[in-house]
Amino acid sequence: MTTAVLRAGLVGLGSMGRHHARVLAGLDGVTLVGVVDPMGDKNGWAQGAPVLSTVEELIALGVDYAVVACPTGLHEEVGLQLADAGVCALIEKPLADTVEGARRLVDAFESRGLVAGVGHIERCNPALRSLRSRLEAGELGDVFQVVTRRQGPFPHRIADVGVVKDLATHDIDLTGWVTGQRYTSIAAHTVSKSGRPHEDMVSAVGQLSDGTMVNHLVNWLSPLKERFTSVTGARGCFIADTLTADLTFHSNASVNTEWEALRAFRGVSEGDMIRYAIPKREPLLVEHELFRDAVRGEEADICTLRQGLRTVEVAAAVLESAASSRTIVFETGEPARHGG
């Protein structure tokens, strides 16, 4: 464990990279020593750090870790360069463009004993962090269902992947993270309406290892921007709005009735609603603080590469299901066979 100032680098200065640069430049215990972008810094986003053309130049500066925020198709190449040089890395989600590429990244960093994580930023959203803590405390009782909706207009920054890899990976990761469960099956349908080569809408139904039902609706075709997560269980329902970082709880009421026919139906009824007051820190700052602490050797709840790999595997299964019109069934965390 060390408290020395860490030397950090950044690869990619696009729409997400500029935010990483901003946070890194002001992060306690870290110095941003260089940014890699072949296009330069035409917008002044590098926070005064030297702008380099290649990853090799960044490595030569002697960085302790680097944030990889280049296009998804380059994650594997850049990540392997950093691993070969003994540099820790925080790689933006999804971990890689393919399952095979994600596995190679896991092997490269693990075999060298390097700290590496994936930037699944929803894990740092205040509403979801509170939700996870409450589920772990058993406040909801048995969990029955997780539903997510992630909808909005097409983001012109995305050119290399479809809505499954860009957006649905958020929901796949957060579902496994808040519940502590793995996917055991997934079935999906996709459509492409915007004229792009990739899908821009997906609807998926899955099951987790404890039997929890999962529903995901994700698209780039809605003028309404929505980031909705609900978890329904024996004692009620949590609803997280990750746009506003609000968490509410709708409880099951216990109301006696003299109507014999209704007493025979063992359903639920509407109870109290609670909106929690949650400290709202910037998720990206929290993500960077956790990764900085992990590089220092401290215990920190980061998204590991293996967890990022599982998300890539499920996303690949979503696309396979949509293409084959079959349910993809997982065994021990990996696709094993096809169901009808």
Side-chain angles (χ1 to χ4, degrees), residues 15 19 25 44 54 79 90 105 107 113 122 124 145 164 174-175 179 184-185 187 189 193 205 234-235 283 326-327:
S15 59
H19 294 297
T54 67
L90 174 62
L105 285 169
D107 292 341
E122 291 287 42
C124 299
Q145 183 185 47
V164 171
L174 76 84
T175 297
T179 62
T184 57
S185 69
H189 295 281
K193 297 291 187 181
V205 178
R235 297 174 183 165
R326 293 179 178 271
T327 298

Side-chain angles (χ1 to χ4, degrees), residues 116-140:
V118 185
H120 278 292
I121 196 170
E122 291 287 42
R123 294 188 178 207
C124 299
N125 187 285
L128 291 177
R129 291 180 73 82
S130 179
L131 170 56
R132 183 185 188 226
S133 296
R134 295 176 185 279
L135 291 179
E136 289 179 337
E139 292 185 20
L140 197 60

Side-chain angles (χ1 to χ4, degrees), residues 81-105:
Q81 284 181 278
L82 294 170
D84 286 342
V87 177
C88 300
L90 174 62
I91 303 173
E92 260 299 340
K93 65 84 204 163
L95 174 56
D97 192 38
T98 65
V99 173
E100 295 75 19
R103 287 176 181 156
R104 285 190 285 269
L105 285 169

Side-chain angles (χ1 to χ4, degrees), residues 72-284:
T72 304
L74 298 175
H75 285 188
E76 180 185 357
E77 176 186 343
V78 172
L80 292 178
Q81 284 181 278
L82 294 170
D84 286 342
V87 177
C88 300
L90 174 62
I91 303 173
E92 260 299 340
K93 65 84 204 163
L95 174 56
D97 192 38
T98 65
V99 173
E100 295 75 19
R103 287 176 181 156
R104 285 190 285 269
L105 285 169
V106 171
D107 292 341
F109 283 92
E110 285 189 350
S111 65
R112 293 168 174 82
L114 296 170
V115 176
V118 185
H120 278 292
I121 196 170
E122 291 287 42
R123 294 188 178 207
C124 299
N125 187 285
L128 291 177
R129 291 180 73 82
S130 179
L131 170 56
R132 183 185 188 226
S133 296
R134 295 176 185 279
L135 291 179
E136 289 179 337
E139 292 185 20
L140 197 60
D142 291 338
V143 175
F144 303 151
Q145 183 185 47
V146 179
V147 175
T148 69
R149 297 195 303 269
R150 188 173 296 268
Q151 306 180 92
F154 173 68
H156 294 285
R157 62 182 174 82
I158 300 297
D160 58 337
V161 295
V163 74
V164 171
K165 292 181 180 179
D166 182 62
L167 284 189
T169 47
H170 279 302
D171 296 313
I172 292 167
D173 179 75
L174 76 84
T175 297
W177 181 69
V178 299
T179 62
Q181 304 297 320
R182 287 173 174 255
Y183 285 77
T184 57
S185 69
I186 197 80
H189 295 281
T190 60
V191 296
S192 182
K193 297 291 187 181
S194 59
R196 300 173 65 253
H198 302 290
E199 79 289 343
D200 42 37
M201 176 181 284
V202 61
S203 178
V205 178
Q207 189 172 49
L208 303 181
S209 50
D210 64 351
T212 297
M213 178 185 292
V214 174
N215 302 82
H216 300 308
L217 178 61
V218 189
N219 77 63
W220 278 329
L221 301 175
S222 172
L224 169 67
K225 189 170 184 179
E226 183 181 34
R227 300 290 185 267
F228 171 94
T229 300
S230 72
V231 182
T232 302
R235 297 174 183 165
C237 176
F238 283 113
I239 295 179
D241 182 336
T242 51
L243 282 177
T244 60
D246 288 327
L247 179 67
T248 57
F249 176 61
H250 298 257
S251 69
N252 294 339
S254 177
V255 180
N256 292 323
T257 177
E258 296 180 1
W259 190 355
E260 185 65 32
L262 287 183
R263 273 212 309 263
F265 173 68
R266 298 181 61 189
V268 298
S269 58
E270 184 178 358
D272 296 330
M273 184 186 77
I274 302 171
R275 179 178 176 273
Y276 298 104
I278 304 171
K280 296 180 180 180
R281 303 185 67 226
E282 181 185 3
L284 189 62

Side-chain angles (χ1 to χ4, degrees), residues 6-10 31-35 49-50 52 58 61-65:
L6 297 173
R7 295 171 59 83
L10 172 64
T31 298
L32 178 61
V33 298
V35 177
L52 314 169
L58 181 65
L61 293 178
V63 291
D64 297 299
Y65 74 94

Side-chain angles (χ1 to χ4, degrees), residues 278-298:
I278 304 171
K280 296 180 180 180
R281 303 185 67 226
E282 181 185 3
L284 189 62
L285 174 59
V286 174
E287 180 179 87
H288 274 276
E289 289 174 344
L290 290 171
F291 192 74
R292 172 203 62 197
D293 294 346
V295 174
R296 286 175 170 173
E298 302 172 20

